[in-house]
């Protein structure tokens, strides 16, 4: 029997996480399915920003580095969030950007590999990894004489061979929502003496992550997606305690020094994850980020990550089922796996080339634009004209997306496709997209 | 004839820049002489932060990367500020931190030197340069096989020899307020084939800087001091157009790509300064920073940098004269040059070891603490027990510091010294200082 709107309302009524939706300021008339690109604004962020600007900065001035605890923000927020990715206090810091943190850990890994196994010359990753990861890897490979080998996901297991130094993967793929089995891949890599770096941009706060359980080596991730930390909020970085003190990372700024306020001319790296800090961080961005993390802390008594994961899968299951029931005959496919164990918190629809208004493109961009005009915000990711098709991407943040939202989103998609309104010229003018 | 309070009031009454002081939220009862560490809060920053959080993020969500222009902030703010350091539009971006930007330009310089003059093996700098600069230089030297040679300021001219690849200096010294002659040093370095990198942390917005006039090669600087961009606000980076496209910098993140939203797996650096961008930047921090830059834009009709410099020198002259007149006999000296051509926008007082309460330290820390307790905020920088004495540091931001402030600051210093109140135990307990 097909699902009904009433079924969705019943699911919302029974949703234990429902009270947390009120923590977010969501615009009227918008169904926001792009929290995997930029998370929604926690209501507390407005008062927090005002406090930091007017009280801490305006009144406290320089004194606030100590009195308002600005100096401790990277570590304090790291400790607050650490359990959500299965690491201990003092092991993770929020700082800089994902790209920069990846450079730090990739360089550390390259130096460890150079020392322990200089004959290993490959760094393997996924061809459709988020590009900035590949760009940073290109740079590190150039500096350390490594070869960057890009693979399809199904080729990775066989590629974990003794000629590989580092395996760098994004846990949940940004284009497909497919999730790697972190524990199995890490174990297979370690069995071959390969270091494993995980990018958690699309999994932190969205799916269960247990870095110690997986015995991972390094991890980075961003805070502006599922963590709702704000546009361009600081990223995080983690290194396994067994590796952390083996090398400095090359961005050896004063905040990574063992005694930054001694102002000594020689760099002495701090012990532990503090050595992955570099320059002065934005107290404003970090403070506002905390408002996002606080909602996770608040989610603990509601069942924590297990509850978030249950709801996330229920949301993505529902979306997939409704799309199958109601959007047949429009050339849509699923890039996201049906298997729960392989799925992140997003659903990506594919659309083949040649279905667009000009008979050449896929029309996926125009469909997304038509949905946005109706207040259903997802996003578009371009294919490569070959194996990787154009993508309509929809993220489901269980903290604030409801089941009725999913119903209406698919209803709008259905109408956009059936009516052909996506063919209108204004939806087919490509602008820069983020 | 000694100066009087009335003289100072007359100077304020005649100060053409006086209206700009009203742009800043300064706490009641505070004389703020630490704008060289963290600049004061522009009043506009409060409404700006509220707009970015509640409207752009909360209501606009992901759409604001385009509709609110977040994507252009690094370049747009760079173009706005470019004339204040003598560079053209499209040449400077605000992004990341000073430490990270220094890593980018130092690496680029090291690669250029490696290609053009591989026999040059020295990177010279000043021993009392701000430590993070030296730490980053240590890292780059290690990677590129260079030797970091640290010099006293008076040794630099003679050290500009053909064995030097790079000369990296901070224009105005953070400990002494002494300013290098950027044009002369750069010319002397170039005459020997040496690349010149300038750190403008203590000079951007504080003293006239003309990077093209000096024919500098690279520059970096921070925005949270004299630019009043907010705690930990994004830094800036500039590269001379003749060098900019010769190499990628190694932090080759997606925002430095020629076409970031094509999501291609290969890195292709953007032409120009955009290639010095890396990861996603905080739209909140950058937007708030603009409030600081806007005050500079507003200062243009009042005479711009020439007027700021005139007032800055008048303020530091006044402070030095009043300290000489009213604080004799307490073991204070001047680290800051009397010569205008050699002075930044701060005055640093020295105090010899052995004058403190325990007969070992200098008492400088306690004097600064006693001043802070009276609402006069400067800061303390520790000496090295040798050539570099303990420092009492006072910054004079001409946008908001007045001449009467200077009078009262010195009066408080006089009273703290004469009364001996700095000897009280609570001022002698050393905490972390920033």
């Amino acid at each position: 029997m097909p699902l009904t709107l009433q079924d969705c309302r019943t699911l919302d009524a029974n949703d234990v996480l429902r009270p947390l939706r009120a923590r977010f300021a969501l615009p009227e008339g918008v169904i926001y399915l792009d929290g995997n690109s930029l998370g929604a604004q926690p209501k507390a962020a407005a008062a927090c920003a005002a406090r930091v600007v007017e009280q801490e900065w305006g009144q406290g001035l320089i004194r606030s580095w100590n009195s308002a605890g600005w100096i401790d923000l990277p570590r304090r927020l790291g400790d607050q969030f650490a359990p959500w990715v299965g690491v201990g206090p003092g092991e993770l810091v929020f700082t800089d950007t994902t790209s920069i943190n990846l450079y730090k850990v990739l360089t550390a890994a390259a130096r460890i590999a150079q020392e322990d196994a200089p004959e290993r010359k490959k760094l393997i990753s996924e061809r459709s990894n988020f590009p900035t990861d590949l760009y940073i890897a290109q740079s590190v490979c150039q500096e350390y004489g490594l070869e960057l080998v890009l693979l399809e996901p199904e080729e990775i297991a066989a590629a974990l061979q003794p000629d590989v130094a580092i395996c760098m993967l994004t846990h949940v793929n940004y284009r497909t929502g497919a999730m790697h089995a972190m524990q199995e891949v890490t174990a297979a890599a370690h069995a071959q003496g390969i270091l494993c770096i995980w990018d958690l941009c699309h999994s932190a706060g969205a799916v269960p992550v247990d870095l110690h359980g997986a015995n991972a080596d390094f991890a980075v991730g961003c805070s502006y997606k599922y963590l709702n930390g704000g546009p361009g909020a600081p990223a995080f970085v983690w290194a396994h305690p067994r590796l952390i003190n083996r090398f400095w990372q090359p961005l050896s700024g004063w905040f990574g020094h063992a005694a930054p306020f001694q102002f000594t001319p020689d760099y002495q790296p701090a012990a532990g994850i503090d050595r992955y800090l570099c320059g002065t961080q934005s107290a404003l961005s970090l403070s506002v980020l905390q408002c996002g993390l606080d909602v996770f802390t608040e989610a603990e008594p509601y069942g924590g990550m297990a509850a978030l994961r249950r709801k996330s899968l229920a949301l993505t299951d529902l979306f997939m089922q409704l799309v199958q029931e109601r959007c047949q005959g429009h050339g849509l496919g699923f890039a996201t796996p049906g298997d729960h164990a392989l799925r992140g918190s997003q659903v990506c629809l594919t659309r083949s080339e040649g279905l667009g208004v000009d008979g050449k493109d896929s029309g996926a961009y125009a469909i997304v634009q038509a949905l946005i005009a109706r207040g259903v915000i997802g996003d578009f990711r371009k294919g490569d004209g070959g194996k990787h098709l154009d993508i309509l991407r929809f993220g489901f943040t269980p903290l604030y997306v409801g089941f009725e939202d999913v119903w209406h989103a698919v209803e709008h998609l259905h109408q956009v496709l059936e009516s052909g309104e996506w063919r209108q010229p204004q939806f087919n003018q490509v602008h820069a997209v983020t």
Side-chain angles (χ1 to χ4, degrees), chain A residues 22-38:
Chain A
R23 298 294 170 271
F24 294 91
L26 293 161
E28 275 300 308
V30 163
I31 296 172
Y32 193 57
L33 305 180
D34 212 8
N36 53 328
S37 190
L38 173 64

Side-chain angles (χ1 to χ4, degrees), chain A residues 82-253:
Chain A
W84 292 85
V85 288
V87 307
E91 294 185 11
L92 183 148
V93 284
F94 282 92
T95 188
D96 296 329
T97 65
T98 305
S99 301
I100 285 171
N101 288 335
L102 190 61
Y103 183 82
K104 296 171 188 171
V105 301
L106 262 181
T107 304
R111 288 175 180 187
I112 290 169
Q114 205 171 46
E115 189 169 285
D116 292 355
E119 72 288 357
R120 292 172 184 263
K121 290 295 180 199
K122 289 185 181 170
L123 190 165
I124 66 171
S125 193
E126 201 179 322
R127 183 167 292 113
S128 80
N129 200 341
F130 190 75
T132 206
D133 295 46
L134 303 181
Y135 304 159
I136 294 290
Q138 261 184 277
S139 173
V140 173
C141 283
Q142 195 180 71
E143 288 179 83
Y144 289 88
L146 297 171
E147 178 196 357
L148 180 60
V149 179
L150 300 184
L151 304 163
E152 297 302 323
E154 63 274 16
E155 298 169 331
I156 290 168
L160 296 170
Q161 298 295 333
D163 57 345
V164 176
I166 299 165
C167 173
M168 175 192 83
L169 293 172
T170 296
H171 185 209
V172 173
N173 186 282
Y174 84 107
R175 279 183 56 83
T176 63
M179 181 164 69
H180 288 288
M182 185 186 288
Q183 185 161 359
E184 288 73 5
V185 173
T186 305
H190 283 182
Q192 298 291 339
I194 301 164
L195 290 163
C196 256
I197 297 175
W198 291 99
D199 177 339
L200 305 177
C201 279
H202 287 268
S203 39
V207 300
V209 175
D210 183 359
L211 290 168
H212 274 297
N215 198 23
D217 295 302
F218 298 96
V220 299
C222 95
S223 72
Y224 54 76
K225 299 179 185 291
Y226 292 101
L227 303 189
N228 308 303
F236 63 86
V237 57
W238 171 82
H240 194 287
R242 72 172 165 261
L243 300 171
I244 185 73
N245 290 331
R246 282 200 52 186
F247 284 95
W248 323 351
Q249 49 87 13
L251 296 166
S252 49

Side-chain angles (χ1 to χ4, degrees), chain A residues 292-311:
Chain A
L293 302 183
D294 284 347
V295 185
F296 283 87
T297 303
E298 201 184 342
E300 278 165 14
Y302 294 100
M305 181 47 82
L308 287 169
R309 177 61 170 164
R310 264 193 306 277
K311 182 175 172 189

